[in-house]
Amino acid sequence: MACAFRSVARVALVIVLLSVGWSVSAQYGTKNGDWTAYGGDLGHTRYAPLDQINADNFNKLEVAWRFKTDNLGPIPEFTYESTPVVARGVLYSTGGSRRAVFALDATTGEQLWVFSLNEGPRGEAAPRRLSGRGLSYWTDGREERIIYVTPGYQLVALDSRTGRPVPGFGKNGIVDLKQDNDQIIGPLNGEIGLHATPTVANNVIIVGAAHPSNARFKRNVKGYIRGFDVRTGKRLWIFHTIPRPGEFGNDTWENDSWVYTGHTGSWSQISADEQLGLVYVGIETPTGDYYGGHRPGNNLFAESLMALDVKTGQRKWHYQYVHHPIWDMDNACPPVLVDVMIDGKLVKAVAHPNKNGFLYVLDRVTGQPVWPIEERPVPQSDVPGEKTSPTQPHPTKPPAYGPQGVSNDDLIDFTPELRAEAIQIASRYRMGPLFTPPVASKREGPIGTLGWGSTASWPGGSFDPEAGTFYIFSTRSLGALSIVPRPSNVSGDMDYVQGSALTGARTTAGAGSAQGGGAQKPIAGAAEAPPSPPTPEGGGGLNVRGLPLAKPPYGVITAIDLKKGETLWKVPHGDTPDNVRNHPALKGLNIPQTGRASSVGTLVTKTLVIAGEGSFVTTPQGRGATLRAYDKVTGKNVGAVFMRVPESGSPMTYMVNGKQYIVIATSGTVNTGELIALRLP
């Protein structure tokens, strides 16, 4: 009898485990072969349970169709970052320099309709121009709508069948996002816009905000978060990311700095858990990416992850990753919603990669860390007027996926001679651990702080809900940062500005394309900067004889087991750059594959991790880039397809009429924006 009971118990346990396994993968991951959100689903897992394309046939992929975006605006676009969505056999995306919206037959690429809004001077003043990251799809089973934000910061709802604005939404299908924003924003104000897609959850559209970089004024537009009714466009709520008097967190803005400080928006993707009724919003740095002397205090909710009630906008919890931010670690990556078994318990978590190389893993119901996050002492700023936080949060698990801090051990070491030169160059700069503050450049002492560029940027990571594994591409590229007293002949009211702000360039490696949009213009009256040395790939502008100052790998894909908080594998991603492979100082040396630094997104399927390369390299097939596939369990490279042009968006996949497709946005240098669809013969 006892044996029979144990057998029944085992059967019951198997049933429970199968149920738990089903629940882990049921809420997230794509459904029915579609890809209905920027990240595949509202949790941004970038996971599709498809396996028609696998390790055995990946190399056989061929072009199914191509779609050029050259005619979707007054000028061609060379930075095409959109990720399309697919629903019921139709592909929808943005494209072109005017951010047109179009619908294609997902099997042939045939254009079904196109919508373009000419915003005139309003669009020309926008800080986030071009095609943006894409759009959102919504349906209640009867209606289907496409929702997107224009460069001029207007929210548009289109009928997905015709491409025409929805009459009952806002005013003739359009909501002016510069209105009803609890602050005065003129129609031609160029301080606010959005490159990301809006998020639609529980019939609410959630919209963030993006701003220009290199601020010279401490007074700027604030990046509030708002929710709108998906049917009418009516504003339902607003969340003040810089709290007002009486609101939680206002006391963290000392000396009434909340009054004039701006930015602190959300320019990345926003995730949602419709079952919990929560949206997860990563907040950026306040005004002054690298100087905060005018805003003393911890500055909530800057560089925090927010959980907001989707219906009311009420704050349910927050976690601030960086106190008093002055490193521009502004939550570029989407939060990824993950359900994993940890120590025998099913945990609903949010995994949020950051530019600083940490993956923060929090319980998405309570906001509590899944593994301890310790407040540790950090170096303090010596810039006059600056007051940095004495401690910063450091996750204990999982290990950092990207480089953190800089020492001589991080410098190029191909040969003893190159290493000695690198040490000599680095000696002019301040080096130290993560959170080493920027230097105020002066005649004596260090001329800047050495730091890593964005180890992970806007493409973010991906998650396999069946295996509980998180994947992220990161880069290694050293750059120098300094701040200088604002010259009297340059307009502004900030005491210090970024050292390169006088020429409109950015010195921090990897940060220049983090948010997209138009090029920065030099400030009138500023002194002309001396010519910069050639910037080698992975070098971030600092180099040794044209070679990167940092040692490789320059680009890496990391797999992280979220059941245990451990790294499973790391592989260099991308061919060795031409300037390294062909450098005369390295002739005769066996240089292993270095990977390449760029902004690259990963896609996970039933068996593969797929990612492209974000820059050109010379290959046996010619100059171009490669779309690669890795075994998601081992990291072994199991397939490669030559692409004429590099990846500039993030790959996605879908199934229509029994055929699996992979679509990727490409562009670069002289190559204009194009969607390329691949499938098996």
Side-chain angles (χ1 to χ4, degrees), residues 125 154 180 214 294 376 411 453 456 571 576 638:
Q154 300 188 84
D180 209 11
N214 291 338
H294 54 284
R376 298 177 184 172
L411 305 180
V571 295
T576 301
V638 295

Side-chain angles (χ1 to χ4, degrees), residues 375-412:
E375 289 281 347
R376 298 177 184 172
V378 294
Q380 296 299 288
S381 175
D382 56 5
V383 175
E386 184 64 272
K387 184 182 177 182
T388 44
S389 172
T391 64
Q392 295 289 355
H394 287 69
T396 57
K397 280 188 173 185
Y401 59 82
Q404 297 180 318
V406 182
S407 70
N408 286 340
D409 291 340
D410 300 301
L411 305 180
I412 186 173

Side-chain angles (χ1 to χ4, degrees), residues 25-255:
S25 59
Q27 186 174 356
Y28 297 106
T30 60
K31 308 290 190 303
N32 305 318
D34 286 344
W35 184 282
T36 56
Y38 173 87
D41 53 57
L42 292 178
H44 289 291
T45 62
R46 303 195 60 80
Y47 173 77
L50 304 177
D51 60 1
Q52 185 179 93
I53 297 172
N54 53 52
D56 294 333
N57 57 32
F58 190 87
N59 290 341
K60 299 177 182 177
L61 287 174
E62 59 185 30
V63 175
W65 52 261
R66 318 174 79 106
F67 183 81
K68 269 284 192 183
T69 65
D70 290 6
N71 296 325
L72 300 180
I75 59 173
E77 180 181 18
F78 295 89
T79 306
Y80 188 31
E81 298 174 346
S82 179
T83 296
V85 301
V86 170
R88 304 180 185 182
V90 180
L91 180 146
Y92 306 93
S93 189
T94 55
S97 54
R98 191 164 280 150
R99 198 175 298 180
V101 176
F102 56 87
L104 308 178
D105 184 304
T107 63
T108 65
E110 177 187 2
Q111 181 176 303
L112 304 178
W113 55 256
V114 64
F115 173 83
S116 180
L117 186 63
N118 185 349
E119 298 180 287
R122 178 175 179 144
E124 294 168 4
R128 296 289 172 257
R129 303 177 217 168
L130 308 179
S131 60
R133 303 271 150 74
L135 43 74
S136 297
Y137 168 86
W138 170 84
T139 183
D140 61 0
R142 299 185 303 275
E143 285 188 81
E144 294 179 72
R145 294 185 180 181
I146 298 300
I147 312 290
Y148 85 109
V149 176
T150 69
Y153 208 42
Q154 300 188 84
L155 181 65
V156 182
L158 305 175
D159 185 313
S160 70
R161 295 164 296 179
T162 65
R164 295 173 180 169
V166 178
F169 183 90
K171 184 178 181 181
N172 299 321
I174 299 174
V175 172
D176 186 343
L177 292 174
K178 292 184 179 181
Q179 300 295 315
D180 209 11
N181 198 0
D182 288 9
Q183 56 188 320
I184 298 174
I185 307 175
L188 300 184
N189 185 301
E191 293 182 2
I192 193 166
L194 190 64
H195 221 54
T197 73
T199 292
V200 187
N202 295 97
N203 298 324
V204 177
I205 305 169
I206 304 95
V207 179
H211 305 78
S213 301
N214 291 338
R216 292 170 285 119
F217 294 88
K218 64 184 181 183
R219 298 176 181 273
N220 278 275
V221 173
K222 304 176 194 297
Y224 294 148
I225 314 301
R226 284 173 290 171
F228 298 86
D229 186 284
V230 73
R231 292 185 173 87
T232 66
K234 177 185 177 182
R235 193 190 94 172
L236 301 175
W237 53 262
I238 187 168
F239 180 80
H240 301 133
T241 53
I242 298 179
R244 295 180 167 193
E247 296 178 341
F248 182 92
N250 176 261
D251 59 340
T252 67
W253 296 85
E254 299 173 10
N255 299 344

Side-chain angles (χ1 to χ4, degrees), residues 182-183 191 211 215 217-224 240-244 250 252-265 283-289 291-302 324-326 493-494:
D182 288 9
Q183 56 188 320
E191 293 182 2
H211 305 78
F217 294 88
K218 64 184 181 183
R219 298 176 181 273
N220 278 275
V221 173
K222 304 176 194 297
Y224 294 148
H240 301 133
T241 53
I242 298 179
R244 295 180 167 193
N250 176 261
T252 67
W253 296 85
E254 299 173 10
N255 299 344
D256 288 335
S257 55
W258 67 271
V259 174
Y260 50 79
T261 304
H263 291 72
T264 322
I283 308 298
E284 66 165 346
T285 310
T287 302
D289 285 348
Y291 176 72
H294 54 284
R295 48 173 172 85
N298 277 355
N299 304 145
L300 287 177
F301 296 98
H324 187 76
I326 56 168
D493 60 4
M494 290 180 64

Side-chain angles (χ1 to χ4, degrees), residues 6 76 159 161 295 334 369 483 512 598 651 657 673:
R6 283 195 297 269
D159 185 313
R161 295 164 296 179
R295 48 173 172 85
I483 57 177
S598 55
N657 296 336

